[in-house]
Amino acid sequence: MSQILPENAVETTVLCKTYGRDQPVVALADVDLAIPRGSFFGLLGPNGAGKSTLINILAGLVIKTSGTASVWGFDIVSEMRTARRAIGIVPQELNIDPFFTPRELLDVQAGLYGVPQARRRTDEILETVGLSAQADAYARSLSGGMRRRLLVGKAMVHSPPVLVLDEPTAGVDIELRHHLWNHVRDLNRRGTTVLLTTHYLEEAEELCDRIAIINHGRLIACESTEALLRRLDAKEMTVGLAEDLAAVPEALNRFRVERKGSRELVFHYPPSKTRSGEILAAIQDSGLTITEIATREAELADIFLRLTRRPDESPR
């Protein structure tokens, strides 16, 4: 009988975690999260927001205070062993035994997950993470970036349907980061659900089809990346001019515009209400000659800063 695949690869309901008794610290508060099967899902938030706590609960390293959580349809408490076999975690910390070689570490990890010798993919994984040449060198001799790639390899030994990457590219150079993401994308295309936390917001914007933002232990957004970017409804257009300007022409003051130098105007506008053609027509009606145009769409970083900004902070 074939297994019925779950709709959501990871699911939490009113998940809470509180540390301490005398002066309790709330790390997670009523987190309802559903990560669809097969998605490339981003979990973002400032330092201390609760991201690692959530991941560690899913991995079985932290005990939840209340609520429920499941991985691949298996409850992390009542079906603990099955849930843990369904997830691979790449942690932030470089927790590698320095007296083992990469080949030995992957074999040991596979053995811990009960992967038979005949089904182990040690050499394939070492090649994937770019460590074939270092396969038999002691882990203590590896650079920081190599150690992080070895952690990625360890998380893949049991071919989990859910792969969690907690800041996987911290300290990894650009070329190796590109190589890693190509492989992770390939895993995702073949059905692996990927959960990514990162402080490189451009990575999340490029890779993830859905993004959740957590702040002070609470989930404050969870939408498709496209929908999240539409939230800001902001665009910036820089217009170069042939003429020198001492001030912004009166006819353009109905827009939110600033003069940058003597031959450049910068317009900030909501694309849902104002068309760029309307601005360009107004510039030409003012008798100005346009020499170049550059536009900048709202980026994930803009959304992130707006949603996680403290109430007493002013916008940048």
Side-chain angles (χ1 to χ4, degrees):
M1 187 181 210
S2 61
Q3 179 190 359
I4 299 176
L5 297 178
E7 180 180 353
N8 293 316
V10 174
E11 196 165 355
T12 71
T13 305
V14 291
L15 186 65
C16 299
K17 176 60 185 178
T18 303
Y19 292 100
R21 293 184 178 179
D22 297 333
Q23 294 181 317
V25 175
V26 177
L28 292 178
D30 300 328
V31 173
D32 291 330
L33 184 64
I35 300 178
R37 184 184 78 248
S39 64
F40 203 129
F41 195 95
L43 180 63
L44 309 181
N47 289 330
K51 305 185 300 297
S52 291
T53 298
L54 175 58
I55 287 172
N56 287 335
I57 288 173
L58 297 176
L61 300 175
V62 170
I63 299 173
K64 63 185 175 65
T65 301
S66 60
T68 63
S70 64
V71 178
W72 209 243
F74 302 110
D75 186 90
I76 63 167
V77 176
S78 62
E79 300 170 288
M80 178 186 66
R81 290 183 181 274
T82 318
R84 290 189 189 179
R85 280 198 297 267
I87 194 169
I89 306 282
V90 181
Q92 289 187 40
E93 298 78 16
L94 296 173
N95 54 354
I96 293 174
D97 191 317
F99 298 102
F100 279 73
T101 67
R103 189 188 305 282
E104 290 169 339
L105 284 167
L106 295 191
D107 274 337
V108 168
Q109 187 80 353
L112 291 173
Y113 276 97
V115 181
Q117 189 77 36
R119 291 177 51 198
R120 295 181 188 177
R121 303 178 298 116
T122 302
D123 289 337
E124 177 190 335
I125 292 173
L126 286 170
E127 183 178 357
T128 295
V129 297
L131 291 176
S132 294
Q134 294 80 23
D136 298 308
Y138 285 121
R140 64 176 179 268
S141 69
L142 302 180
S143 68
M146 290 177 180
R147 294 182 188 188
R148 191 161 296 282
R149 282 183 279 148
L150 182 52
L151 288 178
V152 175
K154 286 180 65 178
M156 293 163 50
V157 295
H158 58 299
S159 303
V162 181
L163 182 64
V164 178
L165 305 169
D166 193 3
E167 299 288 345
T169 54
V172 176
D173 64 58
I174 294 174
E175 183 180 353
L176 295 175
R177 184 183 301 175
H178 180 72
H179 179 75
L180 173 64
W181 287 136
N182 280 342
H183 178 67
V184 173
R185 277 192 180 107
D186 185 54
L187 284 174
N188 180 244
R189 281 192 292 266
R190 287 188 279 157
T192 300
T193 302
V194 179
L195 170 57
L196 167 70
T197 77
T198 180
H199 282 103
Y200 298 111
L201 297 183
E202 67 277 8
E203 279 188 348
E205 186 172 343
E206 180 183 351
L207 294 166
C208 301
D209 48 65
R210 291 187 66 80
I211 289 176
I213 298 177
I214 192 169
N215 195 28
H216 299 299
R218 294 187 178 277
L219 202 65
I220 58 174
C222 185
E223 302 173 35
S224 70
T225 306
E226 184 181 349
L228 202 56
L229 290 171
R230 282 201 304 266
R231 271 200 191 200
L232 200 58
D233 192 24
K235 193 169 184 177
E236 179 182 288
M237 181 166 64
T238 302
V239 179
L241 303 169
E243 298 83 8
D244 288 320
L245 293 179
V248 175
E250 185 69 28
L252 299 180
N253 283 332
R254 61 191 173 99
F255 303 107
R256 186 182 163 205
V257 58
E258 57 183 315
R259 185 170 61 92
K260 188 177 178 182
S262 62
R263 293 194 173 192
E264 213 167 65
L265 294 175
V266 181
F267 294 84
H268 303 271
Y269 61 98
S272 66
K273 298 177 181 177
T274 304
R275 293 175 179 270
S276 57
E278 181 183 347
I279 297 173
L280 297 176
I283 294 172
Q284 291 176 325
D285 289 345
S286 299
L288 299 174
T289 307
I290 298 171
T291 58
E292 60 180 325
I293 300 170
T295 60
R296 175 184 173 273
E297 304 283 350
E299 297 176 348
L300 185 57
D302 302 317
I303 305 290
F304 180 84
L305 290 172
R306 190 181 77 170
L307 293 177
T308 58
R309 186 184 297 128
R310 295 196 308 270
D312 58 337
E313 283 185 314
S314 59
R316 293 183 181 180

